[in-house]
Amino acid sequence: MARISRVLAAIIVAFAIGACGSDSSLPVATGKASIRMINAIPTSPEIGFLIEERALDAVRYKSNSSPESWDDLEYTFNFEIIRPFEDELTRIASQFLDVTREIEYTFLVRGSLDAAVVDVWQIPERSFSGSETIFEMRVGNAADALGLVDVYVGLEGVDPVLGAQVASLAPGEVSAPTDIEEDVYVVTITAAGDPANILFQSVPTRILANQSVIVTAFAGDANDTAPVTVRLFNQLGASSAVTDARFPPTARLIHATSDLGTSDVYDDAALQNRIVADLAFGDITGDIDVAVGEVPITATAPGNVGAILLEDTLTTFAGSRLNYYLTVLSDEVVGSQVFVDRRPVETIARLTFFHSAINHELVDLYVVDAGTTIDDVFPRLITATYGLQASEIRLDAGSYEIYVTTAGEKTILDGPVSLEVALGDVFEAVLLDRVDPSLAEFKLFPPL
């Protein structure tokens, strides 16, 4: 028996030595490549970007992930979303890639959550010394609704002329790279073959040297004033928005204090441009076009520019939308501007409100199934503070009732307020004082 054990041991040792002397079957990396992702699905939540099963980033619509360096091996890249009212992650797409070193890969995820398409844009990695006067440019079409388009990138004042386009692109396509001198450029997108049919024309934009840039077209969403918008992405993952010069920013005015009488509102210093007449307490306007930058806002008594009730400055940005609340702060009527995310996300509904009920500084908000009391439930939002926009509440589809109470109590200030919810809905509201100071009004915005 001892002799057999010695023989077996000798065989095992010999096998191990032989295995160590053979070539490994595992792949060996020879370098690294750059990997990132762009989310081009307009109604998507954040899309998780994974290399095999390892999470790299979570990417919002019109955004890119942080570039990552990975060995030049074979991988399957996965793309996932979280459906908030389900227990599992949903994998919407996968893409195999045999990675080559010193290549920059960009995964463009477009289409829909139920039928996602992954395009892989690739280019040799580019390094810059910092002294170059040029940038490397590609243009990409990430807007399925645009179809085939021509893209022009030219100096300000130069109209697009057929044949001068830098690329003609179908959705999912990207152009070959070209080197261009740093300057101020206008990006123009037209229907293919028709330079007079302008779909997008940017504000003049300086594109800096010493970078590799993808000029990428997206479908505009509810936060954009134009139907098409453009993002610039460079090789480091930095991004910037480029807006359409033909579409001004907008403001939605909400008269939210009983301390201010019915008013006319002007957006010019000379009080010549009245943007809304007879704005009464509780009124909510639609979106009103305003200028870019520092906009003077003046409220006067109706029909009497000599009776000034409010003077303020509204700060706007190209292509953006905001809400402007006429409210009270420190016993003075003021304007409060809020940027609200209106983009519909198909996996959730969202509700938010601005607290302008000065008689009730702190409140709780309940959202319960229709017909349910609040006696044995916790609030969905605790201690909402006067003068601030409340955090958003995420909802599943269904029939609900809203109650507002004094913070920390079940003392009802308003409710039930009925709410019918479908996935993708975005609800905005304002909390107002009532004539009875023991009550408040939770007022939902009318549809635009």
Side-chain angles (χ1 to χ4, degrees):
M1 179 65 72
R3 183 175 182 276
I4 293 174
S5 297
R6 288 195 296 271
V7 170
L8 287 174
I11 292 172
I12 292 170
V13 170
F15 178 81
I17 293 172
C20 291
S22 65
D23 293 333
S24 173
S25 61
L26 295 176
V28 177
T30 62
K32 291 185 179 294
S34 176
I35 307 292
R36 66 173 164 182
M37 170 213 158
I38 294 174
N39 179 353
I41 300 180
T43 59
S44 74
E46 289 187 340
I47 296 178
F49 179 37
L50 298 86
I51 184 167
E52 301 292 349
E53 301 302 322
R54 177 173 175 175
L56 298 178
D57 210 340
V59 186
R60 289 174 56 88
Y61 177 55
K62 295 184 297 190
S63 299
N64 71 156
S65 65
S66 300
E68 298 264 3
S69 292
W70 284 89
D71 291 337
D72 56 339
L73 302 172
E74 295 180 350
Y75 305 97
T76 297
F77 293 86
N78 295 306
F79 307 89
E80 297 181 339
I81 63 168
I82 297 174
R83 297 186 184 274
F85 308 106
E86 298 179 7
D87 294 332
E88 297 182 357
L89 292 168
T90 300
R91 183 157 292 177
I92 62 171
S94 297
Q95 179 68 46
F96 173 80
L97 184 65
D98 186 358
V99 172
T100 301
R101 69 179 184 178
E102 298 176 355
I103 297 293
E104 175 189 298
Y105 294 97
T106 300
F107 295 87
L108 179 74
V109 183
R110 59 185 178 88
S112 66
L113 295 183
D114 293 330
V117 176
V118 181
D119 301 295
V120 183
W121 297 348
Q122 62 185 64
I123 188 177
E125 290 181 333
R126 182 77 174 267
S127 60
F128 295 88
S129 68
S131 61
E132 289 90 347
T133 62
I134 56 92
F135 60 92
E136 179 182 67
M137 184 189 72
R138 290 178 290 164
V139 296
N141 182 355
D144 286 349
L146 281 182
L148 184 64
V149 296
D150 292 337
V151 183
Y152 300 80
V153 180
L155 297 175
E156 186 176 2
V158 178
D159 294 329
V161 177
L162 193 61
Q165 64 267 34
V166 297
S168 296
L169 301 170
E173 292 184 340
V174 67
S175 71
T178 184
D179 286 350
I180 298 181
E181 288 289 327
E182 176 182 327
D183 211 325
V184 175
Y185 292 97
V186 172
V187 178
T188 304
I189 301 173
T190 74
D194 186 1
N197 185 2
I198 295 175
L199 307 175
F200 173 90
Q201 192 160 57
S202 78
V203 296
T205 302
R206 177 168 291 278
I207 305 180
L208 300 176
N210 295 289
Q211 61 175 337
S212 179
V213 176
I214 311 177
V215 180
T216 310
F218 293 88
D221 59 46
N223 294 325
D224 299 307
T225 57
V228 179
T229 187
V230 165
R231 293 287 189 275
L232 305 183
F233 302 107
N234 75 8
Q235 78 279 11
L236 301 178
S239 67
S240 58
V242 181
T243 56
D244 194 322
R246 303 169 301 164
F247 295 85
T250 68
R252 194 174 193 183
L253 275 61
I254 302 95
H255 190 319
T257 175
S258 57
D259 286 6
L260 175 68
T262 298
S263 303
D264 293 344
V265 182
Y266 297 82
D267 70 349
D268 65 321
L271 303 185
Q272 297 293 312
N273 190 45
R274 186 174 65 183
I275 58 175
V276 60
D278 298 322
L279 187 69
F281 175 52
D283 284 351
I284 301 166
T285 72
D287 287 330
I288 299 170
D289 290 347
V290 291
V292 176
E294 302 295 309
V295 180
I297 296 293
T298 306
T300 73
N304 184 0
V305 296
I308 294 175
L309 307 176
L310 165 73
E311 290 182 304
D312 193 23
T313 299
L314 180 66
T315 302
T316 67
F317 300 93
S320 66
R321 302 188 187 278
L322 58 80
N323 294 341
Y324 184 72
Y325 295 88
L326 300 173
T327 187
V328 169
L329 183 63
S330 300
D331 298 324
E332 180 181 356
V333 176
V334 297
S336 180
Q337 60 185 62
V338 176
F339 291 93
V340 177
D341 182 4
R342 296 184 189 172
R343 183 177 71 89
V345 176
E346 64 184 89
T347 57
I348 57 170
R350 294 182 287 124
L351 167 68
T352 187
F353 73 97
F354 183 85
H355 184 349
S356 192
I358 198 168
N359 291 328
H360 308 279
E361 183 175 359
L362 302 174
V363 300
D364 294 340
L365 188 80
Y366 293 79
V367 183
V368 297
D369 291 336
T372 303
T373 70
I374 65 172
D375 295 344
D376 299 315
V377 298
F378 292 104
R380 291 293 303 272
L381 186 66
I382 299 173
T383 317
T385 304
Y386 174 79
L388 298 178
Q389 184 80 13
S391 302
E392 72 175 23
I393 296 172
R394 296 186 171 193
L395 300 171
D396 199 356
S399 298
Y400 298 95
E401 289 173 343
I402 298 168
Y403 292 85
V404 181
T405 73
T406 302
E409 303 178 9
K410 297 289 186 178
T411 304
I412 295 175
L413 306 176
D414 195 20
V417 177
S418 297
L419 189 67
E420 294 295 324
V421 174
L423 294 180
D425 285 342
V426 179
F427 298 99
E428 298 177 65
V430 59
L431 186 65
L432 303 170
D433 286 314
R434 291 186 187 266
V435 174
D436 184 344
S438 67
L439 301 176
E441 179 185 5
F442 189 82
K443 186 166 186 174
L444 291 162
F445 285 19
L448 286 165

